Amino acid sequence: MAADGANILELVLVNADKLHTIRLELPYEEAGDVLTVAHLAREAEKVTGVEVSNQRLIFRERELKDQSKRLTALCITSGSKIHMLKHKLVPDDTSEMAILSNISKEIETTHKDLGRVIHKVDGIHRGYFPKEFNLKAFTKLKCRLEQCTMLFNDELDRLNALDLHHCEPDVTNYRHELIRRIEIGLHRIDGIERGIHDVVVRMTT
């Protein structure tokens, strides 16, 4: 659990006349981080079907616009009630948010792939596989990490290529949050690759 205990929260989401109890839990691949507005928005989309780009999340009469904001910094704790309204964007913003939403889904898929690699590496370190299997397995996992790196970099290039100077702050903040998620993934890949390299060197010398 994160130091501030903010990696698991149970909240009440109010959407129109419906109440939803949602559970936010920090994904395995984001261990060490904390829950943010982005996590809340993605979970709200799952239970209501309202896309992140069309949401207005309200807590204590304050709109949660910054996707990167930590929920604890907003005084959101288990049991807090979040209101969600549908947000209509101006035409220019709608098309850009649609692109960002698609990239967000791709980033989430890449993070899930990375999580599976991390789980596999952890299993090898814990001795769940025969020693003669390890070297070959590490080689394959390194290739999978390279694939994740390529996907993250492609998603980052697409985000940086977007011209959002005409868009509302909600749109640019969303892009910043997506970039942050990619940077987290690339940082973890770098650490795992260094670890794999050190283990392979020890096994072959």
Side-chain angles (χ1 to χ4, degrees):
M1 182 175 289
D4 59 0
N7 63 346
I8 299 179
L9 291 175
E10 291 189 357
L11 307 173
V12 177
L13 182 69
V14 183
N15 177 32
D17 59 345
K18 296 181 180 179
L19 295 179
H20 304 273
T21 299
I22 59 176
R23 177 182 173 86
L24 301 182
E25 186 167 357
L26 200 66
Y28 177 83
E29 62 270 14
E30 296 183 34
D33 206 349
V34 294
L35 291 168
T36 65
V37 173
H39 293 104
L40 171 59
R42 292 199 297 273
E43 192 62 29
E45 179 178 344
K46 291 178 183 178
V47 299
T48 66
V50 179
E51 293 186 357
V52 172
S53 59
N54 290 330
Q55 295 177 12
R56 289 184 61 210
L57 298 173
I58 312 293
F59 178 64
R60 294 180 180 175
E61 301 182 354
R62 177 183 179 185
E63 185 171 355
L64 311 180
K65 293 184 177 182
D66 187 349
Q67 293 275 315
S68 64
K69 195 75 172 179
R70 297 182 176 194
L71 296 183
T72 50
L74 298 167
C75 299
I76 295 176
T77 59
S78 285
S80 292
K81 184 179 291 185
I82 311 296
H83 292 264
M84 189 184 77
L85 305 175
K86 288 187 178 180
H87 177 59
K88 292 185 178 180
L89 297 168
V90 298
D92 286 345
D93 287 0
T94 302
S95 60
E96 301 298 348
M97 284 299 284
I99 295 172
L100 291 175
S101 293
N102 287 333
I103 296 176
S104 175
K105 292 175 183 177
E106 294 174 10
I107 293 172
E108 185 172 356
T109 298
T110 306
H111 266 293
K112 287 180 179 179
D113 291 341
L114 177 58
R116 286 189 282 269
V117 174
I118 293 173
H119 183 72
K120 196 84 168 182
V121 171
D122 185 59
I124 295 173
H125 278 306
R126 292 174 182 271
Y128 295 160
F129 302 95
K131 290 184 177 179
E132 59 273 17
F133 170 81
N134 290 355
L135 183 59
K136 184 177 180 180
F138 274 133
T139 301
K140 289 184 176 180
L141 291 175
K142 191 173 184 299
C143 291
R144 289 176 63 184
L145 287 174
E146 290 173 351
Q147 177 70 13
C148 287
T149 298
M150 183 185 71
L151 291 172
F152 277 138
N153 283 327
D154 178 65
E155 291 151 3
L156 187 60
D157 288 343
R158 289 167 62 196
L159 287 171
N160 288 329
L162 290 174
D163 181 8
L164 304 182
H165 72 276
H166 61 284
C167 294
E168 294 292 322
D170 287 1
V171 180
T172 54
N173 287 340
Y174 191 24
R175 176 169 67 175
H176 292 328
E177 168 60 21
L178 296 183
I179 291 174
R180 190 186 74 88
R181 285 165 56 192
I182 290 174
E183 289 173 345
I184 289 172
L186 291 172
H187 178 72
R188 289 187 172 132
I189 289 173
D190 185 55
I192 296 167
E193 286 183 332
R194 287 199 303 269
I196 289 177
H197 174 76
D198 293 343
V199 171
V200 171
V201 169
R202 289 199 299 271
M203 294 174 64
T204 57
T205 56

